[in-house]
Amino acid sequence: MASFSVIIPAAGKSSRFRDDHYKKPFVPLENRAIWLHSAEKFLNRDDVKQLILVIAAEDRPDFQDKFAANVAILGIELVEGGDSRGLSVRNAIERVREDVDFVVVHDAARPCLADVWIDRVFAAAVESGAATLGIEVTSTLKKVANGVIQETVSRESLWESQTPQVFRRQLLLDAFAAATDEQLGQATDEAQLVEWQGGEVTMVTGSPLNRKITTRADLVFAKQALKALPKPDLLGRQTHPFQDGDLWR
């Protein structure tokens, strides 16, 4: 069985969340912090051997005050992040165990994740070397400048990338080693770094429920999405409360 190390970046500034009291990974969602929802999806898996949470240095005192017990009980490793997502993940990669086969990166602010989607993207990565969840773009896309539509952009072959993103360990290490600090600051996800080095990343169908929380309005969606996630029945099969498979698959 392949083994996985999971990195959960939670060191961002949350500038679009606009909350005077919380950064978005630490906001309570159904009585648990958002980052805990995200982490717990991986902690009970036999194939996950390590979980690394990346937080900002400025958040460490408050984080330790609120979550030290959770981190200790769950066996989570803490790493301080950098000035960008890429630099933060690079700090975590330096702590990845050498005996694991794959590295997983999952946004702390994507709490609405189902086991069946994790299984799917893990399996695709084992087969191809790299894989990410995503959903096809279905809305009409417009290119806008100064508040005015310039053109309608074709959505053919366009997908919205999600996480988890899963990579064979050495593939991701090589991509980070080849990237400059400037490139790490520009990259919006880890798949992009692999793409820049000529690597191929398999796109795996995720779900609209796996939305990243960006604004406070997303919390309303997330509360309902948690209730709608597919769950295993007594036989281990994934069940869901909707008949429309496209909504959750």
Side-chain angles (χ1 to χ4, degrees):
M1 179 174 64
S3 57
F4 299 80
S5 177
V6 178
I7 296 170
I8 298 185
K13 294 180 173 57
S14 299
S15 56
R16 288 177 290 178
F17 193 68
R18 296 181 180 177
D19 190 297
D20 294 334
H21 305 288
Y22 293 102
K23 288 186 178 180
K24 61 187 177 185
F26 312 127
V27 171
L29 173 64
E30 297 296 281
N31 300 317
R32 281 200 308 253
I34 288 173
W35 77 266
L36 263 173
H37 284 278
S38 300
E40 288 173 349
K41 293 297 184 179
F42 300 96
L43 289 168
N44 294 324
R45 296 182 61 94
D46 292 337
D47 52 2
V48 172
K49 306 304 181 183
Q50 180 184 30
L51 194 145
I52 302 170
L53 180 69
V54 189
I55 62 172
E58 65 190 60
D59 295 332
R60 194 176 191 107
D62 192 48
F63 182 91
Q64 293 282 31
D65 183 55
K66 290 184 172 68
F67 303 114
N70 300 97
V71 169
I73 293 171
L74 298 174
I76 295 171
E77 298 179 38
L78 279 185
V79 172
E80 290 187 2
D83 293 333
S84 67
R85 177 192 175 94
L87 292 172
S88 293
V89 174
R90 186 176 67 181
N91 289 351
I93 285 176
E94 293 175 354
R95 295 272 293 275
V96 168
R97 286 170 39 173
E98 294 183 359
D99 61 337
V100 298
D101 303 309
F102 292 85
V103 179
V104 182
V105 184
H106 180 64
D107 299 324
R110 286 189 194 271
C112 303
L113 187 62
D115 293 336
V116 63
W117 309 330
I118 300 175
D119 291 341
R120 190 181 297 166
V121 74
F122 276 24
V126 169
E127 182 176 346
S128 67
T132 180
L133 286 184
I135 54 175
E136 291 185 83
V137 173
T138 58
S139 299
T140 299
L141 300 177
K142 305 288 187 180
K143 185 176 181 180
V144 177
N146 299 319
V148 178
I149 294 174
Q150 304 298 304
E151 63 176 308
T152 299
V153 180
S154 173
R155 62 180 178 232
E156 183 178 357
S157 300
L158 292 183
W159 287 62
E160 177 185 331
S161 183
Q162 300 180 333
T163 65
Q165 300 191 347
V166 189
F167 310 89
R168 191 168 295 280
R169 179 179 174 276
Q170 196 58 51
L171 176 66
L172 190 61
L173 263 61
D174 290 345
F176 269 84
T180 64
D181 286 357
E182 182 180 2
Q183 288 175 320
L184 291 177
Q186 293 172 346
T188 54
D189 66 5
E190 291 64 46
Q192 189 172 16
L193 294 174
V194 173
E195 294 163 31
W196 284 344
Q197 300 306 317
E200 294 185 353
V201 182
T202 301
M203 180 62 79
V204 179
T205 300
S207 168
L209 296 180
N210 184 25
R211 181 192 294 185
K212 185 177 182 179
I213 293 176
T214 302
T215 68
R216 292 197 60 81
D218 293 327
L219 287 174
V220 178
F221 174 88
K223 288 179 181 180
Q224 298 306 313
L226 287 175
K227 301 174 185 177
L229 293 178
K231 298 177 176 62
D233 62 15
L234 294 177
L235 298 178
R237 298 170 302 190
Q238 294 291 328
T239 62
H240 57 92
F242 299 106
Q243 296 301 314
D244 181 2
D246 286 337
L247 181 63
W248 67 273
R249 71 177 184 182

